[in-house]
Amino acid sequence: MSLKEYHRKRHFNRTPEPAGKASAKRKMASAPATDLSYVIQKHDASHLHYDFRLQLGDVLKSWAVPKGPSLDPHDKRLAIEVEDHPLEYGGFEGTIPKGEYGGGTVMLWDQGSWEPVEDPEAGYRAGKLKFNLHGEKLRGSWTLIRRGAYGGRGDKGKPQWLLMKHGDDEARNNGQFDVTAAEPLSVVSGRNLKEIAAGKPAKKKGSKTLRDAVWSSNHKSNGALAPKDADDQPTNRRSTKKTAKPSGRPTAMPRDITPELATLVDRAPDGDNWFHEIKFDGYRMVCHVDGERIRFTTRNHLDWTKKLGPLVEAVRALKLDPCIFDGEIIVLDEQGVSQFQLLQNSFQQGRPGQVIYTVFDLLYFGGQDLRGLPLERRKAALKSLNLFSDRGSVRYSEHMVGEGPAFFKAAEIQGLEGIISKRRDRPYLAGRTKDWLKIKSQQHAEFVIGGFTDPEGARESFGALLLGYHDGNRLEYAGRVGTGFDHKTLQKVLSQLQPLERKQSPFTNFPARAKTLKGVHWVEPAKVAQVTFSNWTEDRQLRHPSFQGLREDKPAKAVTKEATIPLKTIADAVSGKARPNKGAPARSPKQPSPRPSPKGRGSNPQEIQIAGARLTHPDRVFWPEDNITKRELAEYYAAHAKLILPQLVGRPLSIVRCPSGTSGERFFQKHLGDTAPRELGKVQIREKSGSGVYSYVNDATGLVALAQIAALEIHPWGSRADKVEQPDRLIFDLDPAPDVEWPKVIEAAREVRDFLKELGLESFLKTSGGKGLHIVAPIQRKREWPEVEDFCERVAKSIAAAAPQRYVANMSKAKRVGKIYLDYLRNQRGSTAIMAYGTRAKPGAPISLPITWQELSRSTSGDQFHLREVTRRLAKLRRDPWEGIGSVRQSISAKAMKYLAA
């Protein structure tokens, strides 16, 4: 431990950094563990980074962490070891002049003490430091691990380490709480980097220590929230601020909140683990309260504050501590039922004073983020504010515990739109989840306006709106609506549509009979209408639709057809009652049966069971662009196991694992070794050098177990474990060059199909989830890999030779410009292809989806189908596109081999 390198790099007559001194005689053990200093400095130099420093002996061992620390145990943050710093550096905050080493602004972002778990000097030498932090921002258990057996070397030969948080009570999902974004200021001066650089004086530190003490006290007592007693009122009688007893995480107020959304199901859940609320017919709205500043934002982060002047004043009059509400703005009819049309009218007629804000959740209060708390504690805190009256502009949304079916029936009788059912024991999560369910008694939905017709008779402005919804990149026609308009509404809607007129129809499936409509005007699909209707017809058209109003809180591109998911699907997936299909082979006798987790779903929010498989950290985000979590992937597998398993069971697997999701590190793995879930079968396969143990899936439990280990891509062999050397699938991968248009790929797929048919082979089709298509031909297990590979190579080269201007069977990228590569190498021994119905580790979670040959003409790309869209698609699927693939009896005939050899 030496400061020689530190001193060599600095001129202390030019920089305000402390020189410091280190005593070679002093050992770290002479300092009590609780007295060891820890500091993180946010350093805006040539690039912004965080300097992580731990006291060892008489110096601060230091690491530069480019992305900063993360409270998510699944984030492995790169930490580049730099020179030792003096202990005095732990109090430095200021500006290093330009031209000097590390020139830029330094902020004291966090400070405190650290406690080594084992001998720290031995751990440092071995490249593995385990410790507890006691900082103002970072707490709990952490590890620093040096990369590589002898220390990975990165920038300029500096040793590379990984900084990781352990999964304790201090851990947080980074998708919901980014500590570097939520806590941007100095812990000693309250300044940001710009203020430090400008030399502005330190700010008053405020109640940071008090907030931490409140959090710590509540945390130790399990943070129970009880209704407020009289003694809890503020001591200053002149203050009208309301107080609650939050026990969330101390943090700065989040700028934007992405609301939690409900999944549509066919019936209400029962049991006391559910809260049930009325489903309101209005606009979802998040309200930020920060002193006199009140801000209302839609679920898509549009600022509606100026539109809601009376509500802003009503909230301001409550004189609240800083907080964030989640709720809905509505207008009630004479029977006390919310009506979207009345809400629309209130804005059109300039009477926003009729609008009511119904509040059903408290997400932030008094400096603490409450989103990590269970719903029942958030609602208890909300109710304890005692803000709400039955007749005011801001009202509390009551709930019923349990008795979901009875509550829904009562809502139906009263003519309400439906109910929302919420898990009482779950935290608040961004995006659509299965913790919140919606059950509708009336059909309400949003549709994209793609055109309008001329008026007839005494009608003015227009006759009807032509409606649709997005299905991937397609705009599907859903019918027309011509009722529900008054004179003013007709004029207003027309005035917004006329500037959007275009010559061509935006619909991909506008029916021939509808083309006879007179006076059709097409428009850019940019406006969204809310419509009530009685049902859907067999040809997927709206029955008895009625216009309710234009929606300004939702982009047209986000409008899809919402599929109703059977409640049993969700309940079975969550409880582990889902069963594998009857055709799945029995579990290998050598493999133990899956052992259910001793902890039920309700006992530990970090651990659940789905289809009998244990799932830890179910809310870890795998696809951050769409907030798709491990839970959602597992539920997708469990819900559609009957379709997936026949294409997967018994096949040796290679997988692509992404422990931190698609935005983090990923690796391809053939031999799972000790990481293999016990729910999987194992088979030893001969390889070029020795042999390797491969895993395979037996049932739905094993499939979900792959989601547990973050297998975002599953690549099965073309043979099964009981006869590894005899494949039963041929796979041709059509891989187009970037400049090849999709219709050419469609044409190529048909030509490959027809050629295989001439050879006596029926084939099936699926998208690749990437750029192209996969053509799959089942065969009987009679030939071995070398013969199968030779046959597929001859097929590909025969097609390419017949049309060399369009195809190439050579994997050289230089020869593929403007052509489609007919990849036959998937048929080599040990080669794999993405499984049918499998996800890809790409943005949006694209699916390799089986489709029929009839659907091919309507396809738009190899990655057009994504997980959530496929979930809706499969929920209404009447027939398996690959129905019969398992019963096809065909082989590579001698006649076909002879034909290709000619």
Side-chain angles (χ1 to χ4, degrees):
M1 300 178 189
S2 169
L3 295 180
K4 182 177 180 180
E5 184 68 9
Y6 174 81
H7 288 142
R8 185 185 69 80
K9 293 180 175 181
R10 290 164 177 83
H11 302 90
F12 295 103
N13 59 338
R14 303 176 192 169
T15 176
E17 298 165 281
K21 293 182 180 180
S23 172
K25 296 180 180 179
R26 182 177 178 184
K27 296 290 185 182
M28 196 207 74
S30 64
T34 54
D35 292 341
L36 295 173
S37 62
Y38 137 76
V39 65
I40 293 182
Q41 282 152 320
K42 191 174 180 180
H43 191 176
D44 189 9
S46 58
H47 59 279
L48 182 66
H49 63 280
Y50 293 75
D51 291 316
F52 184 88
R53 312 189 196 279
L54 299 176
Q55 178 188 352
L56 267 176
D58 232 9
V59 299
L60 293 173
K61 302 301 292 185
S62 299
W63 293 263
V65 184
K67 291 186 177 181
S70 170
L71 299 179
D72 193 328
H74 306 101
D75 287 346
K76 297 178 177 63
R77 292 293 165 89
L78 176 65
I80 302 169
E81 187 175 357
V82 297
E83 71 275 10
D84 296 343
H85 283 53
L87 294 180
E88 294 87 345
Y89 205 95
F92 174 65
E93 179 172 280
T95 302
I96 303 171
K98 290 184 179 180
E100 296 302 307
Y101 179 78
T105 307
V106 177
M107 171 199 291
L108 259 172
W109 185 78
D110 194 23
Q111 65 179 3
S113 63
W114 74 287
E115 179 184 356
V117 175
E118 299 167 346
D119 182 348
E121 292 184 337
Y124 173 78
R125 289 193 298 269
K128 189 170 185 179
L129 268 174
K130 292 183 178 181
F131 51 91
N132 294 312
L133 291 181
H134 305 284
E136 294 195 36
K137 295 179 181 178
L138 301 189
R139 306 180 183 90
S141 180
W142 297 73
T143 294
L144 269 167
I145 299 178
R146 191 164 53 228
R147 298 178 70 175
Y150 300 100
R153 298 275 169 174
D155 183 34
K156 298 180 181 179
K158 297 175 181 176
Q160 293 185 346
W161 297 60
L162 295 175
L163 176 65
M164 293 174 287
K165 180 77 185 73
H166 292 169
D168 55 19
D169 290 341
E170 302 292 340
R172 298 288 295 275
N173 184 302
N174 199 45
Q176 298 173 20
F177 183 83
D178 181 349
V179 67
T180 59
E183 297 278 9
L185 304 181
S186 165
V187 293
V188 295
S189 67
R191 297 179 294 178
N192 59 32
L193 284 168
K194 289 184 179 180
E195 291 169 333
I196 295 171
K200 292 188 176 181
K203 298 177 181 179
K204 190 175 181 180
K205 193 173 176 182
S207 59
K208 177 74 179 178
T209 305
L210 176 61
R211 290 198 345 239
D212 285 357
V214 170
W215 181 89
S216 177
S217 174
N218 286 332
H219 180 71
K220 291 176 182 177
S221 63
N222 202 27
L225 286 169
K228 184 170 55 179
D229 296 325
D231 292 339
D232 294 321
Q233 297 293 342
T235 56
N236 184 351
R237 297 190 176 214
R238 290 176 296 175
S239 172
T240 57
K241 285 190 177 184
K242 309 296 190 296
T243 60
K245 294 181 179 179
S247 62
R249 182 78 52 141
T251 178
M253 179 182 288
R255 170 66 185 172
D256 291 308
I257 295 286
T258 299
E260 184 162 4
L261 305 177
T263 297
L264 180 64
V265 295
D266 57 347
R267 57 189 176 88
D270 206 353
D272 291 343
N273 204 33
W274 294 90
F275 284 178
H276 307 283
E277 302 170 355
I278 291 172
K279 186 180 187 304
F280 297 107
D281 193 8
Y283 282 126
R284 184 73 172 275
M285 208 66 62
V286 174
C287 178
H288 292 69
V289 180
D290 189 4
E292 291 293 304
R293 295 188 299 274
I294 313 297
R295 183 165 57 96
F296 281 92
T297 57
T298 70
R299 73 185 199 184
N300 290 300
H301 309 300
L302 300 177
D303 194 323
W304 276 37
T305 308
K306 292 183 179 179
K307 295 184 179 183
L308 301 170
L311 273 187
V312 170
E313 294 304 318
V315 173
R316 185 176 286 128
L318 297 174
K319 298 187 181 300
L320 293 162
D321 286 328
C323 61
I324 299 177
F325 294 132
D326 190 5
E328 191 146 346
I329 59 169
I330 60 172
V331 171
L332 302 177
D333 63 14
E334 295 179 354
Q335 284 72 44
V337 176
S338 60
Q339 298 285 357
F340 184 77
Q341 186 67 64
L342 294 179
L343 180 61
Q344 288 282 294
N345 294 342
S346 70
F347 288 118
Q348 293 174 13
Q349 298 166 8
R351 292 189 288 180
Q354 299 175 332
V355 177
I356 297 168
Y357 186 42
T358 53
V359 181
F360 47 70
D361 218 325
L362 181 63
L363 310 182
Y364 181 90
F365 188 85
Q368 297 187 11
D369 188 342
L370 307 185
R371 286 176 291 177
L373 298 179
L375 172 65
E376 60 183 337
R377 290 168 61 186
R378 301 197 309 270
K379 292 211 74 170
L382 176 62
K383 193 167 187 178
S384 74
L385 293 174
N386 292 329
L387 300 173
F388 312 100
S389 68
D390 293 338
R391 299 186 178 277
S393 298
V394 183
R395 305 184 186 182
Y396 173 72
S397 177
E398 294 283 358
H399 62 266
M400 174 178 282
V401 180
E403 301 185 39
F407 187 70
F408 176 71
K409 187 65 177 178
E412 274 191 311
I413 294 173
Q414 295 180 40
L416 303 179
E417 183 185 352
I419 69 171
I420 301 289
S421 300
K422 303 176 181 179
R423 283 285 303 269
R424 66 188 295 177
D425 58 341
R426 296 290 297 145
Y428 188 95
L429 303 176
R432 199 168 302 280
T433 75
K434 305 298 192 303
D435 296 333
W436 288 18
L437 308 177
K438 56 183 174 182
I439 308 93
K440 293 183 177 182
S441 58
Q442 303 176 22
Q443 294 273 21
H444 291 249
E446 296 104 18
F447 295 93
V448 179
I449 301 173
F452 61 92
T453 62
D454 284 338
E456 296 181 358
R459 187 72 169 263
E460 296 180 357
S461 300
F462 62 87
L465 300 178
L466 307 179
L467 306 176
Y469 56 88
H470 285 103
D471 186 358
N473 296 323
R474 299 157 51 87
L475 185 65
E476 298 281 347
Y477 180 66
R480 51 183 176 147
V481 57
T483 62
F485 304 97
D486 58 22
H487 178 70
K488 287 185 178 180
T489 304
L490 286 167
Q491 289 182 323
K492 179 183 177 182
V493 173
L494 182 63
S495 68
Q496 296 196 37
L497 295 181
Q498 284 178 326
L500 301 175
E501 286 197 52
R502 55 186 273 181
K503 293 183 179 179
Q504 300 296 323
S505 167
F507 299 107
T508 54
N509 65 331
F510 199 66
R513 66 178 183 279
K515 294 178 181 178
T516 60
L517 293 172
K518 295 181 180 180
V520 172
H521 301 262
W522 306 116
V523 299
E524 294 293 333
K527 294 294 181 181
V528 178
Q530 177 157 314
V531 174
T532 62
F533 56 101
S534 61
N535 215 321
W536 291 88
T537 65
E538 291 185 0
D539 55 352
R540 296 184 297 178
Q541 304 290 292
L542 296 173
R543 192 188 302 277
H544 307 134
S546 178
F547 179 80
Q548 295 290 295
L550 293 177
R551 293 204 73 106
E552 301 176 16
D553 62 332
K554 189 172 187 179
K557 291 183 178 180
V559 174
T560 60
K561 184 180 178 183
E562 190 172 38
T564 302
I565 299 175
L567 177 66
K568 189 177 187 300
T569 299
I570 295 175
D572 285 353
V574 168
S575 66
K577 294 180 180 179
R579 294 287 182 256
N581 62 314
K582 295 179 181 178
R587 178 174 299 277
S588 166
K590 295 181 181 180
Q591 300 303 313
S593 299
R595 183 174 58 191
S597 167
K599 298 179 181 181
R601 175 178 167 103
S603 63
N604 183 358
Q606 297 298 313
E607 183 176 313
I608 62 174
Q609 276 195 4
I610 293 180
R614 174 174 169 264
L615 217 67
T616 61
H617 303 284
D619 300 318
R620 180 180 304 165
V621 176
F622 279 165
W623 286 272
E625 300 85 359
D626 296 276
N627 199 40
I628 297 174
T629 63
K630 179 192 290 189
R631 179 204 301 268
E632 189 167 352
L633 176 62
E635 288 175 347
Y636 164 76
Y637 283 155
H640 307 298
K642 287 186 178 181
L643 292 171
I644 299 172
L645 290 175
Q647 317 308 326
L648 186 67
V649 163
R651 297 183 183 276
L653 302 176
S654 296
I655 61 175
V656 175
R657 295 179 66 183
C658 305
S660 299
T662 56
S663 60
E665 186 179 3
R666 66 182 64 192
F667 52 94
F668 186 79
Q669 195 170 10
K670 295 193 298 184
H671 308 135
L672 302 187
D674 293 338
T675 65
R678 61 183 298 157
E679 294 88 351
L680 300 180
K682 294 181 181 179
V683 59
Q684 190 160 329
I685 299 178
R686 171 181 53 83
E687 295 181 321
K688 290 182 179 179
S689 56
S691 63
V693 176
Y694 285 77
S695 298
Y696 60 87
V697 167
N698 281 303
D699 50 27
T701 306
L703 182 57
V704 173
L706 288 173
Q708 162 63 16
I709 64 170
L712 302 196
E713 290 190 7
I714 302 172
H715 296 256
W717 280 39
S719 63
R720 298 180 186 269
D722 58 338
K723 285 188 177 182
V724 169
E725 303 305 330
Q726 288 83 40
D728 62 353
R729 292 279 168 93
L730 310 181
I731 299 177
F732 295 91
D733 181 1
L734 276 57
D735 186 4
D739 55 344
V740 176
E741 297 181 350
W742 187 250
K744 296 294 184 182
V745 183
I746 294 176
E747 185 179 349
R750 289 172 175 153
E751 290 189 359
V752 174
R753 174 197 61 183
D754 294 343
F755 190 80
L756 290 173
K757 197 168 186 178
E758 289 181 24
L759 299 175
L761 296 174
E762 180 183 354
S763 58
F764 295 77
L765 179 68
K766 69 183 179 77
T767 62
S768 67
K771 295 184 296 182
L773 295 168
H774 288 173
I775 298 170
V776 180
I779 58 172
Q780 291 182 289
R781 300 192 286 181
K782 295 181 177 180
R783 295 184 182 270
E784 296 196 348
W785 283 109
E787 294 177 287
V788 170
E789 180 187 355
D790 179 65
F791 174 80
C792 293
E793 180 180 3
R794 291 176 183 272
V795 169
K797 290 183 175 179
S798 296
I799 296 173
Q805 74 282 6
R806 294 167 52 202
Y807 303 119
V808 62
N810 191 312
M811 67 186 301
S812 171
K813 290 188 177 181
K815 297 181 179 181
R816 291 163 58 182
V817 178
K819 300 179 182 180
I820 297 172
Y821 172 41
L822 303 176
D823 184 1
Y824 62 88
L825 297 176
R826 306 281 182 183
N827 303 286
Q828 290 181 331
R829 184 182 186 275
S831 294
T832 60
I834 188 69
M835 79 169 186
Y837 301 101
T839 58
R840 304 301 301 270
K842 300 180 179 182
I847 299 286
S848 178
L849 185 70
I851 60 175
T852 65
W853 285 105
Q854 292 74 26
E855 290 179 288
L856 178 59
S857 60
R858 300 197 301 271
S859 65
T860 60
S861 69
D863 62 353
Q864 74 179 90
F865 301 107
H866 293 70
L867 189 144
R868 286 175 176 157
E869 177 190 354
V870 167
T871 298
R872 294 190 294 268
R873 176 188 176 96
L874 298 183
K876 59 184 180 183
L877 188 68
R878 297 181 180 180
R879 180 182 176 188
D880 183 357
W882 278 15
E883 186 177 34
I885 192 173
S887 59
V888 173
R889 296 291 179 265
Q890 58 188 18
S891 301
I892 299 174
S893 66
K895 181 179 178 181
M897 295 287 282
K898 185 177 180 180
Y899 173 81
L900 292 172

